[in-house]
Amino acid sequence: MTATPTTVDAATAVRTGFEAFARGDLEAFAAVFAEDSTWNHRNDDTLGGVHRGIDAIIAFLNESGRLTAGTLRAVPGTVMTDGGSHVAVVTRVSGTRPDGRSFDDEQIVHFVVTDGLIRSADQYIGDPTAVTAFWA
């Protein structure tokens, strides 16, 4: 099967975002998102809910980083695409709080990408109870 340009662009945009986040380069991370994009952290915790616009997404990531003293990691595993604008990534998310609490959770992040920019991200939590306790 030959990949279409849309498939390559969508998966590449998502991988580029993960790589930028891993480097701590939030400017490069923001560059792969549409200005009016959304990120839905689907969990009932202090960071949960829909973050609308790239500024709100960056604020969400900055707060996550602050609460974990910079230890938050999101390591992509399997990347799956529908051959169009949808990309799902099995992601290992981990971090440690300054008080010693830690978590390591397998999650799925579903992205919608159009014209090479991420329009939305939906983050599905693997262990909602543990993640809620971690962010409390």
Side-chain angles (χ1 to χ4, degrees):
M1 180 174 151
T2 304
T4 64
T6 302
T7 301
V8 173
D9 289 345
T12 298
V14 168
R15 285 187 180 102
T16 299
F18 273 104
E19 291 165 2
F21 181 78
R23 290 191 312 272
D25 186 349
L26 293 183
E27 186 174 320
F29 177 88
V32 297
F33 280 79
E35 189 66 33
D36 62 348
S37 57
T38 59
W39 188 290
N40 189 354
H41 176 78
R42 293 180 175 272
N43 200 40
D44 187 22
D45 60 53
T46 59
L47 297 174
V50 179
H51 307 278
R52 297 184 188 284
I54 191 58
D55 291 340
I57 294 169
I58 295 300
F60 159 69
L61 295 176
N62 279 330
E63 180 65 2
S64 301
R66 184 189 70 75
L67 291 171
T68 61
T71 65
L72 184 68
R73 300 288 176 261
V75 179
T78 304
V79 176
M80 298 162 272
T81 179
D82 69 349
S85 61
H86 295 265
V87 179
V89 182
V90 177
T91 306
R92 176 70 56 189
V93 181
S94 62
T96 303
R97 298 288 296 267
D99 64 7
R101 287 180 284 161
S102 64
F103 85 116
D104 184 351
D105 192 51
E106 186 173 64
Q107 303 181 0
I108 293 177
V109 185
H110 172 258
F111 298 90
V112 176
V113 182
T114 56
D115 300 324
L117 293 175
I118 297 170
R119 303 294 174 171
S120 67
D122 284 297
Q123 180 182 3
Y124 295 87
I125 309 303
D127 185 346
T129 302
V131 172
T132 297
F134 177 77
W135 292 120

